[in-house]
Every structure is written in C-alpha cells, then in structure tokens.
Amino acid sequence: MAWRSCFVLLGLTRQGVLRSSAKEGSRWHFTIQQRCGFKKATRKPESKRVVPEEPGPPHTESSEAAIQRRTPAPQWDQQAPSGPPRAFGRLFRPLVFTVGFTGCAFGSAAIWQYESLKSRVQSYFDEIRADWLEKLQPQKRGDVRKEVNQWWNNLSDGQKTVTGIIAANAIVFCCWRVPSLQRSMIRYFTSNPTSKTLCSPMLLSTFSHFSFFHLAANMYVLWSFSSSAVSMLGREQFMAVYLSAGVISTFVSYVSKMATGRFGPSLGASGAIMAILAAVCTKMPEAKLAIIFLPMFTFTAANALKAIVAMDTAGLVLGWKFFDHAAHLGGAMFGIWYVLFGHELIWKNREPFVKIWHNFRTRGGPGRGGDQGGAM
C-alpha cells in the first residue's frame, strides 16, 4: 500500500515548546528568571541598576507594569532542580504515574472492547429500526445533520477514532490564545521536570500545541497513519497505545533533561505519534511512503523509521534544542517494543481482567441479581 502521508520530519515536532517564537520565548524565560532572582537578593532601588545587564531587549523601569503581567507565566517552569546533584528523586512520582496510567489505559481499553462487543447486536437492531423510520419519514433535502452523518459514515474507522484527538488538540490550541489562561496553560499543558506540577502535564502536554504549524503537521501525520494503525490494532488498543506513548515519551524526556541539565518546558503530540508511526513501520516494513511535498520520491517504511531514529539520536547526543529528541525516541522505542513484544505480553493476556469485569457486570450490576454469572 502506498501512503501519501506527511512523513516529513517537520511533522514530528514533539514538544518544541513555543518554538514558533523560540527566540523571543527563550529570552523571555531567562529574563524573567533573572529578574525574580534579583528581586529576592536585593531591594527595589538596586534592581533598577541591574536591569540593563540582562540579555534580551532592554527594559526600563517605566515598563514595570508590563513586566509584572508577564512574570507569573514562566515562574512555574523555570525553577532550578533541588539538591547539589541533579535531583533524580523528583522522577519517582512521574515513574509511578507512568506505570499506573499505562496499566489503567490498557485496562480501560479491554473493558471498552468488551462493552463494544456486547452492545454490537443491540446496535445492529437499532440501525435497522433507524433505517425503517427514515424510509417512513425521509429527511429534508439539504439537511445539515444528514450531510454530517454522510461525511462521518464515509470516514474509515481509524479516521473516526482520531477525530476526537484532533478536536481536543484544536481546543487546547485555542486556549493558548486566551491571555487569562496563560499561567494555567504553562503550568498544566507544558512538561518540565523542574516544574512544581510533574504528573498531569505528562498527559496534558500531549494535546498541547502553541504553534499552528506544529499542530497542523502533527495532526496531518496522525490522520495519515490512523487508518493503518487502527486496522492493525483496533480502536481500543490504538487509544491505549497512543495515550500510553504520550506519557512514556514525556517521562523519557524528563530523564534526559535531568541527566543532561538541559531544562525547559516541552509540549506536543509527536511522542505519541512517533509510537504509532513506529508501530506501523515495524509491522509493515515494506510499505511505501512518500513525502507530501515530493511525492515522486518513495521509500520503504523501514528505511524511513531508521532515518528518523538516527536523526533524533544525533539530535539528542549533539544537544540540538529545536525539538525534544528524547521524547521522539521514547515514543518510537515504545512503538517498536509494543509491536514486537508488548502486544503478546499485555493485550493477549487481558482475558483474566476481562473475566473479572464480566463477573462484576453479570453478578454485581444493577438489576442482575443472584448467582447466575456466566463465563466468557
């Protein structure tokens, strides 16, 4: 199968954080951090003396109101790690959160699949009844609801699955445009191992994009690979892999930042998307891919995956700062591992858990009395 997917490396920009304004952003964070430090160490009259020495555009004391408006946002993420050595102990809670969330994601996916299979027969009869009613009372021509339903029904299962993910990313992108939400967005929707909030941003930053190009590129790649990934994994397993990969890639980013001392906030869905891409390329290595802007050049999925992993490895070793290469590699390694080993270890061993849920539904559910519990 040949895909016209946006397999460009530009699309896989996990967590470049506010890199669309990278030059201003990094200067802004550093400047504010320096100001906060000087304010704690000296009194107000002395702070006027040191302001011109800070990097970035010169600020005068008359602009103090503007500085105060911008100060709260970066304070959440620009704190130095505690302790003389790098405080790897701060990673204990993120590690527990990663393991716990991954288990909950796959457990929820197993329950979701069970409930979907159970309701499939009822849904079949509901569809027959709906078709019969539509024939008796046909909808008006040009009805918007009918057109939306037709568009939705023409989508593949994979495209239907990722539509909700794309909508969530679009909503978060709009929230970045609201000035009053900036402090909350930086605290909860960017991941940084030196931040006061460590765990929830590991998931929420996966749905967060500040740049429109970053959002568009990532969502196009996700849309392009969604049909193949969902047909290979099923929608329930796909969602478990996607969400788990987002958290795992962020944890790998935390470890890398603590080890190298290159701190800074990150955001973006590329870690999770890299896991899906790597899973598809590992499962179908001979599939042909093409770059969206150069459709005449094609290459195999295996070669494309090798090139991306090599680029991110070089970026991590050489300290390139435009992308979060550690998160990319974490997502890719998880996707490869899951296809080769994880599916057998996790998904195919879900039966005992599903039996527990089945017994709970049949024996302990409302209106289901007695000891008449069925077996799977």
Side-chain angles (χ1 to χ4, degrees):
M1 98 178 22
W3 292 317
R4 289 293 183 267
S5 61
C6 179
F7 194 74
V8 200
L9 303 182
L10 293 174
L12 303 172
T13 56
R14 156 71 181 172
Q15 310 184 357
V17 251
L18 318 183
R19 290 301 185 186
S20 62
S21 57
K23 293 181 180 179
E24 296 181 1
S26 57
R27 245 190 348 253
W28 177 50
H29 284 255
F30 178 75
T31 303
I32 297 302
Q33 184 184 8
Q34 292 296 327
R35 276 206 180 81
C36 293
F38 283 126
K39 286 182 180 179
K40 290 181 180 179
T42 60
R43 295 182 177 275
K44 189 173 181 181
E46 297 178 355
S47 65
K48 296 180 182 179
R49 205 165 20 121
V50 297
V51 166
E53 297 177 4
E54 299 176 2
H59 289 45
T60 61
E61 197 62 19
S62 61
S63 63
E64 185 169 350
I67 295 173
Q68 290 177 350
R69 283 197 305 270
R70 297 169 63 188
T71 298
Q75 282 180 333
W76 301 108
D77 296 305
Q78 287 300 110
Q79 301 168 358
S82 58
R86 295 191 181 98
F88 284 96
R90 287 179 58 83
L91 298 178
F92 178 73
R93 281 194 301 140
L95 175 62
V96 173
F97 177 80
T98 301
V99 175
F101 180 84
T102 301
C104 291
F106 281 96
S108 301
I111 293 174
W112 181 15
Q113 186 185 61
Y114 168 87
E115 295 295 339
S116 298
L117 292 173
K118 192 171 182 180
S119 62
R120 185 166 296 176
V121 175
Q122 183 62 40
S123 299
Y124 174 75
F125 287 111
D126 290 343
E127 289 176 2
I128 294 177
R129 181 174 176 270
D131 293 340
W132 180 69
L133 290 175
E134 185 177 354
K135 290 179 181 178
L136 291 179
Q137 298 177 347
Q139 292 179 317
K140 293 182 180 180
R141 214 171 143 188
D143 188 354
V144 175
R145 184 177 178 182
K146 183 177 180 180
E147 293 178 0
V148 171
N149 288 336
Q150 289 178 346
W151 169 80
W152 179 258
N153 292 331
N154 289 332
L155 297 179
S156 66
D157 290 339
Q159 291 170 337
K160 291 178 182 178
T161 302
V162 301
T163 298
I165 297 176
I166 295 174
N169 280 269
I171 292 173
V172 175
F173 173 78
C174 293
C175 291
W176 276 106
R177 280 29 255 153
V178 181
S180 61
L181 296 179
Q182 291 296 304
R183 177 181 297 197
S184 298
M185 296 301 294
I186 291 178
R187 181 172 186 177
Y188 295 106
F189 286 86
T190 64
S191 59
N192 189 349
T194 63
S195 174
K196 292 181 179 178
T197 309
L198 289 175
C199 294
S200 57
M202 297 178 72
L203 175 63
L204 297 178
S205 64
T206 305
F207 296 88
S208 179
H209 298 80
F210 184 80
S211 162
F212 177 77
F213 176 77
H214 189 194
L215 171 69
N218 277 347
M219 294 304 101
Y220 186 87
V221 175
L222 178 62
W223 181 269
S224 300
F225 282 88
S226 61
S227 298
S228 301
V230 172
S231 64
M232 181 178 74
L233 299 172
R235 59 177 182 173
E236 299 88 2
Q237 192 179 183
F238 170 86
M239 287 300 299
V241 171
Y242 182 86
L243 296 176
S244 299
V247 174
I248 291 171
S249 63
T250 304
F251 179 75
V252 174
S253 174
Y254 278 3
V255 173
S256 173
K257 289 175 181 177
M258 295 298 289
T260 61
R262 300 167 189 158
F263 300 106
S266 299
L267 78 173
S270 299
I273 295 174
M274 276 294 296
I276 299 302
L277 185 152
V280 173
C281 292
T282 303
K283 189 71 174 179
M284 296 178 276
E286 298 303 321
K288 295 294 182 181
L289 304 177
I291 299 176
I292 185 174
F293 301 112
L294 300 170
M296 69 289 301
F297 298 107
T298 60
F299 40 84
T300 64
N303 289 335
L305 181 60
K306 292 174 184 177
I308 291 181
V309 170
M311 186 199 73
D312 283 319
T313 302
L316 181 62
V317 172
L318 299 177
W320 298 346
K321 297 180 180 180
F322 192 71
F323 300 147
D324 193 337
H325 298 283
H328 287 189
L329 287 174
M333 294 301 104
F334 176 71
I336 295 171
W337 174 85
Y338 188 81
V339 169
L340 297 179
F341 309 105
H343 179 74
E344 295 286 336
L345 293 174
I346 300 176
W347 194 248
K348 288 196 173 181
N349 291 320
R350 71 191 185 282
E351 184 177 354
F353 178 76
V354 174
K355 282 185 176 180
I356 294 173
W357 177 255
H358 172 77
N359 292 334
F360 171 77
R361 291 278 279 113
T362 55
R363 295 179 183 177
R368 307 175 193 275
D371 300 325
Q372 302 298 323
M376 285 287 289

